[in-house]
């Protein structure tokens, strides 16, 4: 018997051999060049909370959105790493049924937001001992971002991490 996939998947995050239900990404339109600067751009996807494959899907979703918006390669790679760390934490440390990933770009920064249904407290960056295999993810996020914050919600936690866009990228938006 074939398992039924969750209700929402981003079609760009498909893994070969998997049947995933399509979801239309939520993106804001770009502005007309004669009207003025582009409004913020945003794309959201909801993935299964207990599936380790959600980490790979989140990376693909993030990279494809940022490349579509013509964000520079260095920024794309940093946000790919950040979303990987944040989604891994949500999968490993919470009992969430779903995890929502939002990728956003404004005129000055790019960000990823991961919202889970975990009620295990606010995540805190810590210093891992050299012999430990785990415990460096949030310290890495802290080191790579312009800002990051964790917000407790009534039914989970939202973690947002942002990096400033290089001048040439910000000026092109």
């Amino acid at each position: 018997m074939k398992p039924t996939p969750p209700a929402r998947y981003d079609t760009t995050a498909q893994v070969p051999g998997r049947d995933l239900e399509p979801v239309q990404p939520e993106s804001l339109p770009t502005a007309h060049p004669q009207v003025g600067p582009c409004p913020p751009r945003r794309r959201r996807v909801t993935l299964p909370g207990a599936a380790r494959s959600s980490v790979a899907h989140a990376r693909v979703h993030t990279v494809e959105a940022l490349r579509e918006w013509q964000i520079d390669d260095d920024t794309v790679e940093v946000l790919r790493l950040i979303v990987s760390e944040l989604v891994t934490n949500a999968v490993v440390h919470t009992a969430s049924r779903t995890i929502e990933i939002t990728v956003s770009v404004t005129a000055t920064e790019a960000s990823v937001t991961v919202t889970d249904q975990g009620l295990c407290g606010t995540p805190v960056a810590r210093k891992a001992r050299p012999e430990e295999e785990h415990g460096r993810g949030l310290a890495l996020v802290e080191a790579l971002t312009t800002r990051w914050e964790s917000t407790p919600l009534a039914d989970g936690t939202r973690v947002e991490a942002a990096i400033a866009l290089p001048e040439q990228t910000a000026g092109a938006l």
Side-chain angles (χ1 to χ4, degrees), residues 8-10 13 45-49 54 57-58 97-101:
R8 295 181 63 188
Y9 271 96
D10 176 28
V45 66
T46 299
L47 299 170
S54 291
H57 290 298
R97 289 183 317 281
T98 60
I99 299 169
E100 184 178 277
I101 295 92

Side-chain angles (χ1 to χ4, degrees), residues 117-129:
Q117 297 156 341
L119 301 173
C120 59
T122 303
V124 177
R126 68 179 184 94
K127 185 172 181 172
R129 293 188 307 269

Side-chain angles (χ1 to χ4, degrees), residues 72-159:
D72 67 283
D73 290 341
D74 289 341
T75 301
V76 171
E77 285 307 307
V78 169
L79 284 172
R80 185 177 75 79
L81 176 59
I82 290 169
V83 80
S84 184
E85 293 296 336
L86 297 180
V87 174
T88 297
N89 283 351
V91 169
V92 171
H93 299 294
T94 74
S96 298
R97 289 183 317 281
T98 60
I99 299 169
E100 184 178 277
I101 295 92
T102 304
V103 182
S104 303
V105 174
T106 67
T108 58
E109 71 177 12
S111 67
V112 292
T113 304
V114 176
T115 305
D116 62 47
Q117 297 156 341
L119 301 173
C120 59
T122 303
V124 177
R126 68 179 184 94
K127 185 172 181 172
R129 293 188 307 269
E131 67 275 7
E132 290 181 298
E133 289 184 28
H134 304 283
R136 293 172 181 80
L138 287 178
L140 187 59
V141 168
E142 191 170 77
L144 292 172
T145 59
T146 308
R147 64 178 179 83
W148 79 278
E149 59 191 30
S150 175
T151 306
L153 306 171
D155 61 346
T157 304
R158 180 177 52 238
V159 180

